[in-house]
Amino acid sequence: MLTTAEALEAVLAATPVFATENVDASKSTGRVLRQIIRAERDQPPFDRVMMDGIALSWSDYVAGQRSFPLQAMQAAGDAVLTLEQGKCIEIMTGAALPVGANCIVPVERITVVDDVAEIESDYSVKKDRFVHPQGSDYAKGAHLLTPGKRISPLDIAIIASCGVSKLEMARDPAVRVISTGNELVAADAVIELHQIRTSNGPAVLSLLASHDYRRCEHDHIADDVAALTERLAQHLAEAEVLILSGGVSMGKADYIPSVLTALGVEAIFHKISQRPGKPMWFGKGPQGQLVFALPGNPVSALVCCRQYVIPALAKATGATTVAPEFAALASSVSFKPDLTCFQPVKLLSNAAGQVIAMPVKTNTSGDFAALSGTDGYVELPKEQTNFPAATPVFLHRWIAH
Ligand code: AMP
Ligand code: MG
């Protein structure tokens, strides 16, 4: 049986980097950039005035001049004026520094009488003060964003400032989320005593959406070899990533591995030494489709989706890998089986600035109600049984940040 690390490695090794597409910058938030965004111009593109006031020449000021006739007014967006000797130009925040000016005196430190500005006697003017010099943030051509960056609202400002409206981005992978099981009934259908509502499909779709994968559709297939064969063949023809849940354990109706194999999906692994999620199956379709068959138990399905599917999609979209996160256990945990334990946790922080993980008990791996309010899960290595409070452990958040 593979360890959790071996399973993740096998998933990533089977995952190619998918192609790119052209996306409107206005629709790019959350998606993965696959090009370099270069600075269109220096930033600021001109010596930018940072205060409302007057612009004057340092040489006039050091010569002792304190009263300056107003030559003109230049606001943000006005073309650059040239300052005449001995005069000043009324200037507004965001304007380009007039030619010949190199000092700004804030409006609060002058009085204007008959179009002559007088500087307050106790105000000391400094050369270049309140001027944001051209190119001091970055130079034209600088690589502001690089491939692999997941676009945030902060990046949108950079993209817009570079005059870019179309971006080369990772194609949102075509994903099918497939719930299998005779007992499953959708939220809007009448339900019998012996049936259960389909919760994995909607939860997996939501987890994918929270990681910005939105080209995902859901299907439900009964535990029936003919139906599974027909529908899975269709999904394999139409999608790049299949995420099934249910039907991968040892029960007589657990047909998924054999049906997938018969459809030409190469089995890469079945079972991982972990709890929850031990029965997970993973394979690669004839056209390179990634096929994740998650256990049906709701906690297992979500943990396996977060642990293996999300990193695979990140690689497929060319996203830059995120640094591992750690947290300190809030209380001791003991876990005896020779398996990695993925323990759901709520996160807190302490006065030392540490992230603290408070274990939340789930009744069984079917107890999905207990997951609500958890932020993720921590990874307790299988070699160890007792984990005292304050033990540092790997943290996996449900939702990336
Ligand atoms: P299985 O892996 O098919 O043996 O299912 C394990 C358990 O998870 C059973 O109790 C199923 O009824 C339940 N289960 C399977 N699929 C789902 C689903 N999509 N939503 C909620 N529970 C499910
Ligand atoms: Mg089942």
Side-chain angles (χ1 to χ4, degrees), residues 178-181 183-184 196-202 218 223 245-249 251 253-254 279 294-298 366 368:
I178 302 147
S179 300
T180 71
E183 72 279 34
L184 303 179
I196 64 156
R197 295 283 183 198
T198 312
S199 64
N200 290 347
H218 180 248
D223 295 314
S245 74
V248 288
S249 302
D254 290 337
L294 316 180
N297 267 311
F368 53 91

Side-chain angles (χ1 to χ4, degrees), residues 51-372:
M51 280 284 185
D52 298 321
I54 55 171
L56 48 90
S57 162
W58 174 248
S59 58
D60 291 340
Y61 180 80
V62 289
Q65 191 179 337
R66 294 296 178 267
S67 289
F68 293 81
L70 299 180
Q71 174 192 325
M73 203 273 279
Q74 189 191 318
D78 288 348
V80 185
L81 299 175
T82 299
L83 178 68
E84 294 167 21
Q85 207 196 337
K87 294 190 176 173
C88 71
I89 290 176
E90 274 189 290
I91 202 86
M92 305 300 146
T93 304
L97 189 68
V99 176
N102 50 9
C103 297
I104 303 297
V105 182
V107 68
E108 295 84 355
R109 310 313 296 261
I110 58 170
T111 20
V112 180
V113 178
D114 294 336
D115 285 345
V116 175
E118 166 118 30
I119 300 173
E120 280 180 2
S121 56
D122 64 345
Y123 184 69
S124 145
V125 173
K126 293 197 174 64
K127 186 169 176 283
D128 300 325
R129 185 134 186 238
F130 304 128
V131 177
H132 182 190
Q134 177 177 343
S136 59
D137 290 359
Y138 54 77
K140 178 179 174 174
H143 292 193
L144 301 180
L145 298 173
T146 48
K149 181 79 181 68
R150 202 176 278 283
I151 299 303
S152 77
L154 314 174
D155 301 323
I156 293 288
I158 294 170
I159 292 163
S161 77
C162 290
V164 173
S165 57
K166 288 270 185 191
L167 298 168
E168 194 173 325
M169 308 207 80
R171 195 160 38 74
D172 200 3
V175 177
R176 293 294 154 83
V177 174
I178 302 147
S179 300
T180 71
N182 288 347
E183 72 279 34
L184 303 179
V185 173
D188 56 359
V190 177
I191 195 158
E192 308 275 351
L193 172 74
H194 54 276
Q195 298 175 319
I196 64 156
R197 295 283 183 198
T198 312
S199 64
N200 290 347
V204 166
L205 286 173
S206 171
L207 185 61
L208 295 172
S210 75
H211 286 260
D212 287 294
Y213 303 108
R214 297 178 191 280
R215 245 179 98 203
C216 310
E217 287 174 29
H218 180 248
D219 191 14
H220 166 227
I221 315 178
D223 295 314
D224 174 88
V225 172
L228 284 166
T229 304
E230 187 198 324
R231 301 272 279 285
L232 290 178
Q234 195 180 339
H235 290 309
L236 283 167
E238 293 171 356
E240 296 155 307
V241 180
L242 271 54
I243 308 168
L244 294 89
S245 74
V248 288
S249 302
M250 304 309 284
K252 285 200 167 156
D254 290 337
Y255 302 122
I256 298 300
S258 58
V259 168
L260 286 170
T261 311
L263 288 169
V265 180
E266 178 203 347
I268 294 180
F269 64 74
H270 191 184
K271 297 198 175 138
I272 311 170
S273 58
Q274 67 177 55
R275 185 180 292 165
K278 185 170 149 196
M280 181 179 160
W281 187 99
F282 173 69
K284 195 163 179 161
Q287 278 82 46
Q289 304 96 321
L290 303 176
V291 183
F292 299 88
L294 316 180
N297 267 311
V299 179
S300 312
L302 284 174
V303 164
C304 288
C305 183
R306 173 62 190 86
Q307 189 64 21
Y308 303 105
V309 181
I310 296 294
L313 291 175
K315 181 180 176 194
T317 52
T320 307
T321 42
V322 285
E325 270 197 273
F326 300 90
L329 283 178
S331 54
S332 66
V333 180
S334 127
F335 184 77
K336 291 201 181 68
D338 185 27
L339 300 168
T340 296
C341 170
F342 289 125
Q343 170 63 55
V345 293
K346 269 186 196 171
L347 297 178
L348 309 164
S349 59
N350 66 12
Q354 277 180 309
V355 179
I356 306 296
M358 201 163 70
V360 174
K361 272 250 159 295
T362 55
N363 218 354
T364 62
S365 42
D367 182 14
F368 53 91
L371 290 185
S372 180

